[in-house]
Amino acid sequence: MTRDRAHDVVVLGDANPDLVLRGDVVPRFGQAEQLVDAADLTLGGSGAIMAAGLARLGVDVAIVAAVGRDPFGDLVLGMLEEHGVATDLVVRRGDLGTGLSVVLSAGTRAILTHAGAIGSLTAADVPAEAVAAARHVHVASPYLVTRLRADLPTVLAGARSSSVDTNDDPARAWADLAALADAAGTLLPNDGEVVLWAQALGHRTDDWLDAAAYVASRGVEVVVKAGAEGGAHVTADGVVRQEPAPVTPVDTTGAGDTFDAAWVAARLAGEPPERALRWAVAAGTLSTQGVGGTAAQPDRDTLLRAVGVLP
């Protein structure tokens, strides 16, 4: 694949291996050795998982991310290509190692991340022609892609349509949030993040729907992932809710990124917001039935059956 080929979606963000450890274990310090039930090395990074979800749904997608020239970098590139994600825009660093996340999955999740090359991505690494040619540009984890974050409003100005999923800010400072929110066409937070966003933007609330409405009042659509409560599409004109199918999750790693992928795929397919929300909630729910972010991502037919379009 070459850098001059246009892609329907370009994802800007993080790509790294995830080491997912599962078991009913709370880590203890003091050289206490504890046993977990399972360990899996999977494709990780919000950007990479979202891109894999799009590819699984039949969307031509490329990722712009930075990895090292090391075995983990080779692993990430191989995993992306196996999932059908174009890697012609991936940058390899000789002076930095590939990032790595350790995910402790025990009903809830704790994530330890070594950023490595992730934060080295800059606006100079994002080809303007790829952004302009894409039907949609998605930004993942700008609070890990630290050197690119301040330039994202300028980058997104060249996009035909765009979305942003900030994920968490490890510093909880939410720098550049207002400019990023105003530059994006669609914001894709989870219910906890949107409360923190609203608070950072000056609105004191602990209610995620109230927080989403406040953020949407800036003139952007907000699509919220709410776990067991499903999701919501929030604009200045009102709220649409979607409940999930009842399931027992195996692992929730990457469920939000799969939700994002299905939302974008549905909108590119011409689906209205309420139907796109059904796709997104169903995809996120299905993805919890496997370990890691990509193992249970649905293909298009599986997703269409889940939302009742196919028998």
Side-chain angles (χ1 to χ4, degrees):
M1 295 183 182
T2 61
R3 289 176 65 90
D4 59 358
R5 185 171 81 81
H7 301 281
D8 282 343
V9 178
V10 172
V11 177
L12 314 178
D14 49 338
N16 56 264
D18 273 354
L19 177 59
V20 183
L21 306 178
R22 289 180 291 130
D24 189 12
V25 174
V26 177
R28 298 194 306 269
F29 289 94
Q31 298 189 53
E33 184 168 359
Q34 298 170 267
L35 300 180
V36 297
D37 296 334
D40 297 274
L41 191 62
T42 67
L43 180 64
S46 180
I49 295 171
M50 194 272 190
L54 281 167
R56 183 77 171 145
L57 292 170
V59 177
D60 176 13
V61 56
I63 187 168
V64 182
V67 300
R69 293 189 178 277
D70 56 13
F72 279 158
D74 295 339
L75 178 67
V76 168
L77 288 175
M79 286 178 167
L80 286 167
E81 290 166 358
E82 286 174 8
H83 283 85
V85 178
T87 59
D88 48 304
L89 304 180
V90 174
V91 179
R92 302 203 72 172
R93 307 292 192 209
D95 57 339
L96 292 169
T98 301
L100 174 70
S101 288
V102 178
V103 182
L104 308 178
S105 182
T108 185
R109 287 181 298 145
I111 305 171
L112 302 174
T113 295
H114 167 61
I118 291 170
S120 70
L121 198 69
T122 69
D125 296 316
V126 182
E129 61 276 13
V131 169
R135 294 176 62 197
H136 187 85
V137 176
H138 176 79
V139 175
S141 300
Y143 291 97
L144 296 181
V145 189
T146 50
R147 294 186 63 192
L148 176 60
R149 187 180 63 238
D151 292 323
L152 282 170
T154 301
V155 171
L156 292 180
R160 287 192 254 175
S161 69
S162 64
S163 53
V164 174
D165 184 348
T166 64
N167 290 285
D168 193 23
D169 174 11
R172 291 298 171 97
W174 301 105
D176 306 311
L177 177 62
L180 190 54
D182 292 344
T186 304
L187 297 173
L188 290 155
N190 66 31
D191 49 357
E193 290 158 0
V194 77
V195 169
L196 295 174
W197 287 5
Q199 293 174 354
L201 293 170
H203 182 60
R204 307 305 300 178
T205 184
D206 292 319
D207 179 89
W208 66 267
L209 271 175
D210 177 56
Y214 177 77
V215 176
S217 71
R218 301 177 70 90
V220 64
E221 71 174 354
V222 182
V223 185
V224 185
K225 297 157 281 196
E229 294 185 64
H233 176 257
V234 185
T235 67
D237 295 326
V239 178
V240 176
R241 298 284 301 271
Q242 177 65 48
E243 298 296 322
V247 298
T248 300
V250 174
D251 178 25
T252 60
T253 301
D257 306 314
T258 303
F259 176 112
D260 295 350
W263 169 268
V264 171
R267 295 297 278 148
L268 289 178
E271 297 290 349
E274 60 273 17
R275 288 189 60 82
L277 185 63
R278 288 182 62 195
W279 284 38
V281 171
T285 301
L286 288 167
S287 79
T288 69
Q289 301 304 289
V291 177
T294 61
Q297 288 181 318
D299 61 23
R300 190 178 182 87
D301 284 353
T302 299
L303 182 55
L304 292 179
R305 281 193 293 270
V307 298
V309 174
L310 293 179

